[in-house]
């Protein structure tokens, strides 16, 4: 049996128009960069957000300006998910390559809308039971609207009908999305939308006669829809961050873009530097004056910054660094996610120095994590790194951030009047908690020397062995001082199970879903997601050692997370690594299958 | 008065030019009436990179080559501070060379002093980018940072001095300091500061300097003519010194800093303006 193919002249089978209810839908729109795939997914996300669904949105784009394959994907679900569904329920393909790329992920009952302007669709690429709808997007768009550009609005018009959105709901989404366009630019888009709806009319898809339906969901708490990068940048601002310098790099540039738009209004400064060495040293300069300062980059840029990060650890300068990890080594695959900077951010740099690495799992954790990072940097007077993975560019629905929770902890700053009470002031005073009182330049009578050379309490360079040891020990004590403030791991699943799954960052979503499915098969797992990477917290080591077998899931070839845990006391014989480094995200099905197979052999 | 660190005695070899540079910085601070607690002296890595310990102001020892971006960060974050960046020719023209042109382009309010001795002193005498006849590549011409400065159209203060002419050095240092303090931008002063241990160039340089300040035909407000004249002098194997260029251009601070809130104070954090702004930012993501 070949898949049913409907064209513009024929109506869709009546029994397909059953308005089948879905509570979980994964949609992919793909074509060449510039085809408008991202716009359709953005519009659809908006519509379904309004209907009360949790949305997870991601993209898969070539690192090029225009052209190159670009796919946008979105999952709408009644539960918060943070990953895509295993299978694509609806595909809009602007070219053949899009169908080829999606082919092995299409659900048996998927709906495939294909741009038939240039080529006919080879039916063997989609499941036999799929519904194929060829639509000459380009042709219609060029014929009636004179621009290829409006394909996206046209596609959205049709898509809205297919999933049972009301025409006015769809139009209001479009108007909101394009609110910055002039009416001359907006009108053709509205026309294109109607064109898409007219096309649906011809196929008999309208109103209640839709193929699918996603009923409106009640929403209890106010939600926002945001990426990890924007959330982290916002957290930095909320925690008093006022200086940012960066150098463009995918996928970190978004942090700089966000701050360029928003920081100057509160008197902050955002600078685009000449390279990452300059970025981090501009930030160090700002930090020296007591201003809360941050930079953001990705693997290659962080590698350049390592000397400076270690320097801040030594010289006791508080800065925040966001590392938006991408597939390495070297330039690697700029638009593909990975978690392979773990070695670098935890162990990189020369010498031993105190620092902290947090690894948030969703945009909400990025926001509060960034507040914490900004405050802890000040408290401990050391560098704090936020290691993000695909969470940096993917958008999630999360509860609206509570700005009231953003507190500012000044740490051990001393003012002119404090200094006036002191007999002497030593910048690097040896203290029990490892943190020295800090007077910034401009403070009368508290002149001091800041250096990355080993030094005495006054900041004067020394190599005297006892002082060296005292200084190193003092610096390492500060980490113990702030340790209680560091976010503990999140745990869920079957607490009594001897089997565990452990992973960080964005993998929380896929771990959750995999564990649910494994439980349905009678395999129960206890799950653990650390949120502090460095120092490795005891609860994580305990988790590994107190289970019989723990699957450590990570996106790196080198099993960097597993290696880190082992070096900090996790027993090697307990750990089974599951590694992925093909540039794609883990899917639940894949993780479930891998675990089932390994359990069978165990 | 609270006791702070004890000002270090310089650790330089007797006769090192760096003594003179330090003296000029101290002279300028005093003559300009700038208080030490309002001054941050940032230094690079090298023999030159110890000057911050000897002055009594706030001091910062940057990483090798990074003194300029750090100083720019300071000058933006607290525009009230007097910012003096200093370092060697290796620090500023080799490992930090990439930052130099961008700093010159940005024109931030700070004074940058390079102690040029043509060698890497601290690592024991290797050639620096300004070495006259580098052993490894004798056919290469030394870098001339004043020519570089002239070629970047937003520079506002370029000068070269030699430690043996201390009056001129002091005067230029004071002018440079005032230039940056008055918000006119970056003052870049290269001081010929011989290294007696690894390449004693005193007599050689003293014979070759050509004092532009004493030349009535030289125009330090004409970039094009200055470039032409410097090039001609260099072709004659002379070393031009004096105030090489003095002009006007918007400073980085005037371009980047607003008067919204003094951003180095966080007291306004939970004040109305800030909260309202954050709520607005957040609302853009509401569903
Ligand atoms: C990243 C790095 N590379 C190399 C060094 C070693 N190093 C220290 S000082 C120096 C050269 C200093 O020469 P210069 O800046 O001319 O200063 P001088 O000692 O002559 O005053 C070098 C290469 C270092 N500290 N850091
Ligand atoms: S080695 Fe040269 S540059 Fe260093 S202190 Fe001695 S004379 Fe000065």
């Amino acid at each position: 049996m070949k898949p049913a193919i409907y064209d513009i002249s024929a109506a869709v089978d009546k029994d397909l128009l059953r308005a089948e209810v879905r509570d979980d839908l994964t949609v992919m729109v793909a074509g060449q960069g510039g085809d408008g795939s991202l716009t359709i997914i953005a519009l659809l996300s908006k519509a379904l957000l309004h209907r009360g669904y949790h949305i997870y949105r991601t993209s898969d784009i070539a690192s090029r300006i225009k052209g190159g394959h670009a796919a946008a994907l979105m999952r709408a679900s009644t539960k918060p998910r943070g990953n895509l569904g295993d299978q694509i329920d609806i595909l809009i393909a602007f070219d053949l390559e899009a169908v080829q790329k999606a082919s092995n992920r299409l659900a048996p009952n998927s709906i495939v809308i294909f741009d038939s302007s240039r080529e006919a669709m080879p039916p063997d690429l989609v499941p036999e039971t799929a519904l194929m709808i060829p639509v000459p997007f380009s042709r219609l768009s060029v014929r009636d609207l004179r621009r290829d550009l409006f394909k996206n609005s046209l596609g959205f018009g049709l898509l809205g009908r297919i999933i049972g959105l009301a025409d006015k709901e769809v139009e209001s989404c479009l108007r909101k999305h394009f609110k910055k366009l002039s009416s001359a630019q907006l009108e053709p888009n509205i026309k294109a939308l109607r064109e898409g709806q007219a096309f649906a009319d011809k196929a008999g898809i309208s109103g209640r006669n839709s193929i699918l339906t996603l009923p409106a969901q009640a929403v209890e708490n106010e939600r926002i829809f945001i990426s990890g990068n924007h959330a982290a940048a916002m957290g930095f601002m909320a925690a008093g961050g006022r200086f940012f310098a960066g150098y463009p790099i995918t996928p970190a540039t978004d942090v700089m873009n966000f701050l360029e738009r928003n920081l100057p209004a509160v008197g902050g400064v955002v600078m685009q530097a000449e390279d990452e060495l300059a970025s981090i040293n501009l930030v160090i300069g700002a930090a020296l004056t007591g201003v809360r300062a941050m930079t953001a980059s990705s693997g290659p840029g962080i590698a350049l910054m390592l000397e400076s990060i270690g320097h801040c650890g030594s010289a006791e300068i508080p800065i925040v660094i966001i590392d938006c990890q991408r597939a390495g080594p070297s330039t690697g695959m700029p638009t593909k996610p990975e978690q392979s900077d773990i070695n670098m951010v935890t162990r990189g740099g020369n010498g031993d120095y105190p620092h902290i690495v947090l690894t948030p799992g969703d945009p909400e954790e990025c926001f509060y994590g960034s507040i914490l990072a900004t405050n802890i940097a000040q408290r401990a007077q050391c560098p704090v790194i936020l290691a993000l993975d695909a969470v940096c560019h993917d958008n999630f629905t999360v509860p609206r951030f509570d700005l009231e929770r953003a507190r500012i902890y000044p740490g051990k700053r001393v003012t002119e009047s404090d200094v006036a009470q002191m007999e002497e002031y030593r910048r690097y005073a040896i203290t029990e908690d490892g943190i020295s009182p800090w007077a910034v330049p401009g403070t009368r009578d508290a002149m001091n020397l800041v250096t990355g050379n080993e030094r005495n309490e006054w900041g004067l360079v020394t190599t005297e062995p006892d002082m060296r040891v005292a200084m190193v020990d003092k610096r390492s004590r500060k980490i113990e001082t702030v340790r209680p403030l560091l976010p503990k791991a999140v745990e869920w699943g079957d607490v009594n199970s001897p089997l565990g799954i452990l992973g960080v960052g964005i993998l929380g979503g896929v771990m959750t879903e995999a564990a649910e499915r494994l439980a349905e098969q009678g395999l129960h797992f206890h799950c653990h997601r650390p949120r502090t990477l460095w120092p490795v917290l005891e609860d994580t080591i305990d988790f590994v050692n107190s289970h019989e077998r723990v699957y450590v899931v990570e996106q790196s070839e080198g099993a960097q997370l597993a290696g880190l845990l082992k070096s900090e006391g996790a027993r090697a014989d307990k750990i089974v690594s599951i590694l992925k480094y093909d540039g794609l995200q883990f899917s639940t099905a894949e993780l479930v299958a891998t675990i089932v197979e390994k359990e069978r052999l165990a | 008065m609270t006791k702070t660190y004890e000002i270090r005695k310089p650790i330089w070899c007797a006769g090192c030019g760096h003594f003179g540079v330090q003296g000029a910085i101290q002279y300028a601070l005093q003559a300009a009436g700038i208080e030490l607690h309002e001054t941050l002296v940032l230094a690079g890595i090298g023999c030159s990179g110890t000057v911050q310990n000897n002055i009594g102001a706030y001091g910062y020892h940057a990483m090798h080559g990074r003194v300029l971006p750090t100083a720019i960060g300071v000058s933006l974050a607290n525009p009230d501070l007097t910012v003096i960046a200093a370092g060697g020719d290796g620090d500023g023209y080799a490992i930090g060379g990439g930052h130099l042109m961008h700093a010159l382009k940005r024109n931030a309010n700070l004074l940058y002093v390079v102690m040029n001795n043509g060698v890497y002193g601290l690592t024991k005498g290797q050639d620096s980018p300004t070495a006259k006849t580098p052993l490894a590549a004798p056919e290469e011409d030394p870098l001339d940072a004043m020519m570089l400065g002239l070629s970047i159209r937003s520079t506002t203060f370029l000068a070269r001095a030699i430690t043996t002419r201390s009056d001129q050095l002091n005067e230029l240092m004071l002018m440079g300091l005032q230039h940056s303090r008055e918000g006119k931008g970056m003052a870049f002063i290269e001081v010929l500061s011989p290294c007696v241990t690894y390449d004693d160039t005193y007599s050689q340089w003293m014979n070759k300097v050509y004092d532009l300040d004493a030349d009535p035909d030289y125009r330090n407000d004409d970039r094009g003519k200055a470039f032409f004249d410097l090039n001609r002098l260099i072709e004659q194997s002379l070393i031009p010194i004096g105030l090489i260029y003095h002009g006007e251009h918007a400073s980085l601070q005037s371009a980047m800093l607003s008067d919204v809130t003094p951003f180095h104070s966080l007291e306004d954090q939970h004040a109305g303006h800030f909260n309202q702004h954050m709520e607005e930012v957040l609302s853009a993501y509401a569903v």
Side-chain angles (χ1 to χ4, degrees):
Chain A
M1 201 178 99
K2 291 274 171 234
I5 301 187
Y6 293 92
D7 64 29
I8 195 160
S9 54
V12 174
D13 252 344
K14 274 275 173 303
D15 37 304
L16 281 168
L17 302 176
R18 275 176 296 147
E20 187 190 316
V21 173
R22 290 287 176 89
D23 62 2
D24 194 338
L25 186 79
T26 294
V27 181
M28 169 169 168
V29 184
Q32 294 301 303
D35 269 347
S37 305
L38 300 174
T39 312
I40 298 190
I41 286 293
L43 287 163
L44 179 65
S45 304
K46 229 172 226 164
L48 293 175
L49 284 167
H50 281 155
R51 289 211 158 193
Y53 285 83
H54 285 280
I55 305 287
Y56 166 76
R57 188 177 88 196
T58 184
S59 58
D60 180 4
I61 6 179
S63 181
R64 287 160 60 168
I65 309 279
K66 195 155 190 320
H69 187 75
L73 299 102
M74 180 228 68
R75 179 186 195 176
S77 51
T78 47
K79 288 186 190 166
R81 281 307 190 183
N83 62 339
L84 291 172
D86 284 334
Q87 295 188 313
I88 295 160
D89 300 302
I90 300 178
L91 169 70
I92 299 185
F94 286 114
D95 61 12
L96 202 59
E97 193 183 342
V99 192
Q100 283 159 345
K101 285 237 157 102
S103 179
N104 61 357
R105 285 148 78 196
L106 288 171
N109 59 346
S110 54
I111 300 167
V112 179
I113 302 166
F114 175 69
D115 190 342
S116 58
S117 310
R118 262 164 303 207
E119 44 211 343
M121 163 111 141
D124 50 327
L125 283 176
V126 305
E128 286 189 348
T129 45
L131 170 66
M132 278 170 58
I133 308 181
V135 183
F137 284 112
S138 297
R139 210 150 29 86
L140 289 177
S141 184
V142 173
R143 187 194 69 194
D144 298 339
L145 303 154
R146 264 177 254 116
R147 289 288 295 278
D148 197 31
L149 211 65
F150 304 112
K151 292 198 286 209
N152 45 25
S153 302
L154 202 150
F156 183 52
L158 173 62
L159 185 61
R161 287 288 186 87
I162 288 174
I163 63 168
L165 299 175
D167 287 356
K168 62 172 191 311
E169 203 176 345
V170 164
E171 184 172 328
S172 103
C173 266
L174 191 90
R175 286 188 183 278
K176 262 190 214 144
H177 187 83
F178 288 127
K179 62 174 181 275
K180 293 220 175 87
L181 295 187
S182 68
S183 62
Q185 292 165 312
L186 179 67
E187 277 324 304
N189 279 294
I190 300 285
K191 243 182 113 188
L193 185 81
R194 303 248 159 84
E195 187 102 19
Q197 290 164 342
F199 185 84
D201 281 334
K202 283 200 193 131
I205 312 171
S206 70
R208 280 201 212 118
N209 295 326
S210 63
I211 300 175
L212 305 177
T213 179
L214 289 97
Q217 304 292 317
V219 179
E220 268 147 36
N221 300 318
E222 225 183 317
R223 287 179 196 158
I224 56 172
F225 184 57
I226 192 168
S227 70
N229 272 342
H230 286 199
M234 206 187 290
F236 169 67
M237 278 181 76
R242 291 294 180 274
F243 188 97
F244 179 90
Y247 183 75
I249 185 168
T250 304
T253 311
D254 237 12
V255 176
M256 181 157 70
N257 295 342
F258 175 95
L259 291 170
E260 269 169 356
R261 279 196 302 276
N262 297 309
L263 200 53
V266 292
V269 164
V270 179
M271 271 196 83
Q272 183 180 316
E274 62 269 29
D275 56 34
E276 287 85 354
L277 301 167
S279 316
I280 192 161
N281 283 284
L282 282 157
V283 162
I284 289 173
L288 286 172
T289 71
V291 167
R292 293 168 178 232
M294 176 171 90
T295 183
S297 187
S298 184
I302 303 292
L304 287 176
M305 292 180 187
L306 281 178
E307 184 197 8
S308 310
I309 295 173
H311 170 86
C312 290
S314 169
E316 314 206 23
I317 302 167
I319 61 168
V320 180
I321 305 113
I322 297 183
D323 176 12
C324 301
Q325 300 176 83
R326 69 186 208 190
S330 179
T331 307
M333 300 194 285
T335 57
K336 305 292 177 192
E338 225 167 66
Q339 299 174 320
S340 52
D341 290 351
I342 291 181
N343 285 347
M344 176 166 68
V345 294
T346 58
R347 305 272 201 206
N350 60 310
D352 302 312
Y353 62 93
H355 73 299
I356 286 158
V357 185
L358 306 179
T359 185
D362 62 27
E364 186 181 23
E365 288 185 1
C366 287
F367 176 76
Y368 295 110
S370 174
I371 294 175
L372 188 72
T374 310
N375 276 317
I376 287 199
Q378 296 292 323
R379 280 199 179 193
Q381 299 172 17
C382 77
V384 181
I385 301 174
L386 281 175
L388 311 185
D389 47 27
V391 76
C392 74
H393 52 72
D394 292 350
N395 284 261
F396 295 54
T397 36
V398 288
R400 188 184 171 102
F401 303 149
D402 182 0
L403 293 169
E404 292 294 304
R405 271 177 64 191
R407 285 282 128 74
I408 291 177
Y409 297 99
K412 280 201 194 177
R413 284 277 289 276
V414 287
T415 62
E416 222 153 75
S417 53
D418 300 331
V419 173
Q421 308 298 311
M422 296 172 159
E423 238 163 73
E424 48 182 43
Y425 173 71
R426 305 170 191 232
R427 170 67 189 96
Y428 293 105
I430 305 252
T431 55
E432 216 168 297
D433 64 4
I435 301 162
S436 314
W438 177 25
V440 298
T443 313
R444 192 176 291 278
D445 293 340
M447 277 78 85
N448 59 71
L449 301 171
V450 173
T451 173
N453 281 55
E454 198 54 90
R455 67 213 78 107
N456 63 19
E457 290 183 288
W458 302 102
L460 289 162
V461 174
T462 182
T463 55
E464 200 277 305
D466 289 343
M467 184 49 73
R468 157 70 173 177
V469 171
M471 277 294 161
V472 173
D473 291 349
K474 166 190 119 81
R475 292 195 292 268
S476 96
R477 276 201 301 280
K478 61 168 75 171
I479 297 300
E480 296 318 306
T481 300
V482 295
R483 193 184 279 265
L485 303 172
L486 302 177
K488 298 264 182 324
V490 188
E491 288 192 353
W492 69 99
D494 183 350
V495 285
N496 297 316
S497 171
L499 302 175
I501 306 178
L502 188 154
V504 295
I506 195 151
L507 298 187
V510 74
M511 283 162 61
T512 307
E513 213 171 347
E516 283 171 13
R517 260 191 245 169
L518 287 162
E520 285 164 14
Q521 302 180 26
L523 280 172
H524 297 275
F525 284 88
H526 192 194
C527 299
H528 182 97
R529 177 169 64 81
R531 294 184 294 176
T532 301
L533 264 182
W534 188 259
V536 175
L537 300 184
E538 228 163 53
D539 59 336
T540 297
I541 302 302
D542 288 348
F543 179 85
V544 175
N545 292 347
S546 64
H547 287 76
E548 201 175 295
R549 196 163 37 256
V550 174
Y551 291 97
V552 177
V553 189
E554 52 182 310
Q555 288 178 296
S556 85
E557 182 264 344
Q560 299 190 8
L561 177 61
L564 177 70
L565 301 182
K566 285 180 207 168
S567 73
E568 291 296 301
R571 277 176 49 184
D573 59 323
K574 305 268 190 183
I575 293 178
V576 181
S577 281
I578 298 179
L579 309 174
K580 191 168 173 69
Y581 46 93
D582 57 4
L584 304 173
Q585 296 278 15
F586 271 104
S587 78
T588 305
E590 176 188 10
L591 186 56
V592 167
T594 311
I595 292 178
V596 166
E597 175 64 11
K598 288 189 188 275
E599 272 302 291
R600 202 175 55 80
L601 297 173
Chain B
M1 210 174 84
T2 316
K3 178 175 182 296
T4 62
Y5 73 94
E6 213 166 291
I7 298 173
R8 269 265 157 110
K9 289 212 178 67
I11 55 166
W12 300 310
C13 311
C16 175
H18 299 353
F19 284 99
V21 179
Q22 179 188 320
I25 293 173
Q26 286 172 308
Y27 163 81
L29 280 169
Q30 210 171 28
I34 296 167
E35 297 216 58
L36 290 176
H37 77 271
E38 290 177 338
T39 304
L40 178 61
V41 180
L42 303 99
I45 303 278
C47 297
S48 42
T50 56
V51 68
Q52 78 285 11
N53 301 330
N54 312 337
I55 290 174
Y58 279 87
Y60 173 70
H61 198 191
M63 272 158 295
H64 195 26
R66 313 295 159 220
V67 73
L68 277 174
T70 318
I72 294 172
V74 172
S75 76
L76 280 170
N78 187 350
D80 298 336
L81 290 175
T82 294
V83 182
I84 302 176
D89 45 319
D91 193 83
Y93 304 158
I95 191 168
H99 302 307
L100 178 60
M101 62 177 161
H102 296 280
L104 291 169
K105 170 175 170 284
R106 290 190 183 114
N107 197 36
N109 296 328
L110 57 90
L111 168 63
Y112 180 42
V113 184
V114 169
M115 301 174 218
N116 179 7
N117 53 16
V119 293
Y120 290 178
L122 193 68
T123 48
K124 302 201 184 302
Q126 301 82 357
D127 290 324
S128 90
T130 54
K132 185 63 196 152
T133 45
L135 288 177
E139 71 284 0
E140 283 179 19
D141 261 4
L143 271 186
D144 190 297
M146 292 296 119
M147 294 287 277
L148 172 70
L150 283 170
S151 72
I152 296 172
R153 292 193 44 83
S154 41
T155 49
T156 49
F157 189 104
L158 302 168
R160 183 185 278 133
I162 181 164
T163 52
T164 51
R165 300 193 182 194
S166 57
D167 287 349
Q168 186 183 31
L169 169 60
N170 285 348
E171 193 193 332
L172 287 170
M173 198 68 81
L174 177 59
M175 279 175 75
L177 187 63
Q178 280 166 335
H179 180 86
S180 68
R181 283 279 298 186
E182 286 160 12
K184 294 176 176 164
M186 173 167 160
F188 174 26
I189 304 180
E190 180 189 286
V191 186
L192 301 172
S193 174
C195 167
V196 288
T197 305
Y198 295 111
D199 187 12
D200 189 343
T201 48
Y202 272 112
S203 58
Q204 191 193 341
W205 283 351
M206 279 157 74
N207 290 330
K208 284 193 170 174
V209 289
Y210 178 89
D211 187 359
L212 297 169
D213 291 344
D215 179 348
D217 292 333
Y218 185 75
R219 295 266 313 277
N220 61 30
D221 58 353
D222 183 336
R223 191 184 290 276
K225 184 171 179 301
F227 195 87
F228 180 87
D229 288 352
L230 250 67
N231 190 45
R232 190 172 40 80
L233 290 166
I234 293 166
E235 275 170 1
Q236 295 164 16
S237 287
L238 294 173
I239 309 172
I241 58 169
L243 181 54
I244 286 170
Y245 181 73
H246 197 184
E248 281 181 22
H249 194 279
S251 72
L252 184 67
Q253 277 71 12
S254 68
M256 289 206 68
L257 296 185
S258 64
D259 52 8
V260 184
T261 44
F263 74 138
H264 47 284
S265 104
L266 290 173
E267 268 101 72
D268 62 308
Q269 176 73 15
H270 285 287
H273 169 70
F274 180 80
N275 273 350
Q276 194 193 334
H277 179 68
M278 285 306 285
E279 286 294 345
E280 275 167 26
V281 171
L282 191 52
S283 294
Y285 298 87
V287 304

